[in-house]
Amino acid sequence: MSIASCVASASLVLFAVACAATEQRAADARWNYEVVVRADELVLEARIPPGGALNLSVAPAARRFVREVEDERGAPLFAVDGAWRLPRSSAPRTVRWRFAAREAARSLDDVDLAAVRGNAIVASLSAFLLHDSANWGDGSFRLAVLETAPQKFVCASPDPDDLVGELASLDGPVPCAFGEIIPIPTGMDGVVIAPLMAVRLGELAGIDDWASAAMNEVETYLGRRPVRRLLLLLAPRGTHGIGSGRTLGNGAASIYVSVGTATTDVEFERDWVLTHEMIHLALPSLPPQQEWLEEGSATYLEPLLRARAGRLAENEVWRALLDEYDQGLPEADDAGLDRTRTWGRTYYGGAIFCLLADVEIRARTRNAKSLRDVFVAVLAEEGNLTRASSIERVIEIGDRATGTNVLAELYARMGNAAEPKELGSLWRDLGVALDGDKVVFDDTAPLAFVRRELILGAR
Ligand SMILES: [Zn+2]
């Protein structure tokens, strides 16, 4: 029972008593972690609710950096096969330990476990929070942080105001970073922008503008912000430009992107990477066989969203479509999008699926509906990247939202077969072509009415 529904029924005494008991149990069931952040190590404590025996451990590769595991009386816990055994108890239990963070970061150099980046250590909570993978239950945790200046700790969390999570999320990477980090002030509620390197004062506004622009593009397209809280980690890379990015939604939303330490405002303005990553936030997490839809939707929508924000000319988007999309066509040994996990088919094959879907939905509904209606409905019903969904649910919700069978038909055609064979007929139907370096349009083409609204929407 949620706190909100408890408040709503609080006028009924019996319900109020039941609510109080439920909330008490919920509080008791939560694991409370506490971390003291020091320059080279983390000093940790967990208060664990009463219950059965537990085998406490961290991500396997990080186990050897967990030290001095002991109970509340200071007695060492017995370790078997890389797990520390905590006996059953009818009372709450406390466990204390240390994590040799810098040693782990230097040795592992893996941002999914621990790695030094700039002035900070990037790590996953799963690498240093002791937990029991066989005993998640539906348990949740809260993390309290004690920072000792100049150390600062930032972490992905689903709650904009608190560091919390589901215990089950500790089965995968949940990013955090600590060290000499000075988060960048931003006007975006719930967004933490944490550069892992020193940033000059004059660059702060440029970075906030860059992140805000990308978030606004996604928010404008969908009519709402896809996540309540986002951790945006900026890792140093060379001097100029934006490097690769990665978006994670395991329990909480985070984006890790590398940024040149002398990147200019113009370079931030031209960047496409962050828009691509932020589009990922809006689609629920799909099984690996459908990574093509996750990457394809981000690849297809990124230039559209930037064009709608006035950051990219419409002709430039068409030029990119005409130039780049052949990379997504099937090669000789292709077995369809679900079964061909090459780079070209994942990014551009998936983008072709989205382009064909957008065109077909618009064609059948005379531009009344578009792929946008699919993403809006899927976000509303299935949630963002922190939730898991399936291709079947996305298709069912998307087709219902547009009143068509476009997604089901396209998936039947492309999911397990080497389709489409070519894109020439699509460009002809839309009435768009490259004449040398110039994009030319044919308004007599049968789908010219779709082409006119595809990139910028209704005008
Ligand atoms: Zn991507």
Side-chain angles (χ1 to χ4, degrees):
M1 183 181 290
S2 73
I3 289 171
S5 63
C6 283
V7 171
S9 58
S11 59
L12 297 171
V13 174
L14 279 177
F15 275 34
V17 171
C19 281
T22 306
E23 279 167 29
Q24 187 58 43
R25 274 200 302 281
D28 287 346
R30 191 158 73 173
W31 289 38
N32 283 290
Y33 291 105
E34 212 173 84
V35 57
V36 178
V37 184
R38 300 207 174 135
D40 294 327
E41 67 166 0
L42 302 175
V43 181
L44 296 124
E45 179 178 294
R47 289 189 300 286
I48 300 169
L54 296 168
N55 293 306
L56 300 171
S57 196
V58 296
R63 278 177 196 154
R64 65 184 201 272
F65 305 101
V66 174
R67 312 269 161 83
E68 299 173 38
V69 184
E70 56 185 43
D71 67 13
E72 56 263 47
R73 293 158 309 174
L77 291 193
F78 189 54
V80 183
D81 295 336
W84 289 268
R85 180 100 177 141
L86 186 67
R88 65 167 290 119
S89 169
S90 56
R93 297 161 280 184
T94 298
V95 178
R96 299 191 182 95
W97 70 99
R98 291 167 184 271
F99 181 69
R102 190 161 301 275
E103 193 185 331
R106 287 202 176 119
S107 167
L108 298 170
D109 191 31
D110 178 346
V111 290
D112 283 345
L113 292 166
V116 178
R117 293 290 184 269
N119 302 330
I121 291 170
V122 181
S124 167
L125 297 186
S126 54
F128 60 82
L129 292 184
L130 284 174
H131 55 269
D132 184 344
S133 306
N135 284 291
W136 298 127
D138 49 6
S140 61
F141 69 85
R142 180 168 184 272
L143 176 62
V145 180
L146 295 166
E147 296 156 339
T148 42
Q151 307 302 317
K152 175 95 186 154
F153 185 100
V154 293
C155 186
S157 168
D159 187 319
D161 304 313
D162 209 356
L163 299 185
V164 294
E166 301 297 321
L167 282 172
S169 67
L170 297 179
D171 228 3
V174 182
C176 70
F178 42 92
E180 296 183 24
I181 299 170
I182 304 174
I184 293 177
T186 170
M188 291 184 285
D189 282 345
V191 178
V192 177
I193 307 176
L196 306 176
M197 60 291 201
V199 175
R200 284 189 291 272
L201 205 58
E203 295 165 337
L204 297 180
I207 291 174
D208 182 32
D209 287 350
W210 166 61
S212 300
M215 182 61 95
N216 283 339
E217 284 157 9
V218 177
E219 192 172 346
T220 302
Y221 183 71
L222 295 171
R224 60 180 274 202
R225 191 176 293 177
V227 292
R228 293 175 65 220
R229 176 172 165 124
L230 172 68
L231 173 64
L232 177 56
L233 294 174
L234 311 180
R237 76 173 270 280
T239 49
H240 282 281
I242 318 298
S244 60
R246 194 169 72 135
T247 303
L248 289 181
N250 175 44
S254 67
I255 294 175
Y256 175 94
V257 60
S258 49
V259 178
T261 50
T263 299
T264 63
D265 285 355
V266 173
E267 288 168 324
F268 279 124
E269 167 76 20
R270 288 188 188 146
D271 170 59
W272 59 269
V273 173
L274 197 54
T275 303
H276 174 107
E277 297 305 326
M278 288 203 183
I279 293 166
H280 281 313
L281 298 172
L283 190 69
S285 181
L286 298 173
Q289 299 94 299
Q290 280 88 36
E291 190 187 358
W292 57 266
L293 185 55
E294 298 177 325
E295 294 304 341
S297 58
T299 301
Y300 174 67
L301 290 179
E302 166 263 307
L304 263 71
L305 269 53
R306 290 198 300 134
R308 289 177 187 208
R311 284 212 287 156
L312 196 61
E314 185 182 7
N315 276 13
E316 292 305 312
V317 182
W318 283 115
R319 191 194 314 278
L321 291 172
L322 292 160
D323 264 352
E324 296 169 5
Y325 271 42
D326 280 356
Q327 302 174 84
L329 291 172
E331 294 185 353
D333 55 350
D334 194 276
L337 290 174
D338 278 355
R339 294 189 290 163
T340 312
R341 302 196 53 206
T342 58
W343 177 86
R345 288 292 268 165
T346 302
Y347 283 78
Y348 282 95
I352 289 171
F353 180 95
C354 292
L355 167 67
L356 291 174
D358 208 2
V359 168
E360 194 60 27
I361 293 165
R362 286 176 172 279
R364 291 191 201 177
T365 64
R366 303 298 297 179
N367 281 324
K369 302 282 183 186
S370 71
L371 191 62
R372 177 186 169 277
D373 295 280
V374 171
F375 289 116
V376 168
V378 170
L379 177 61
E381 292 192 38
E382 292 291 273
N384 59 32
L385 186 66
T386 67
R387 301 283 161 192
S389 186
S390 65
I391 187 74
E392 290 77 16
R393 284 289 293 156
V394 169
I395 288 170
E396 181 205 329
I397 294 166
D399 278 345
R400 186 168 9 101
T402 62
T404 70
N405 287 318
V406 169
L407 297 180
E409 290 168 21
L410 263 182
Y411 182 57
R413 179 181 162 204
M414 293 176 69
N416 285 301
E419 283 286 329
K421 305 284 185 236
E422 51 83 38
L423 293 171
S425 51
L426 173 72
W427 306 135
R428 269 192 303 282
D429 287 349
L430 288 168
V432 60
L434 276 179
D435 181 6
D437 204 25
K438 202 162 167 266
V439 181
V440 291
F441 299 113
D442 172 10
D443 277 338
T444 65
L447 295 179
F449 73 97
V450 168
R451 186 204 70 230
R452 279 192 287 269
E453 294 194 14
L454 192 74
I455 308 301
L456 297 179
R459 277 171 278 185

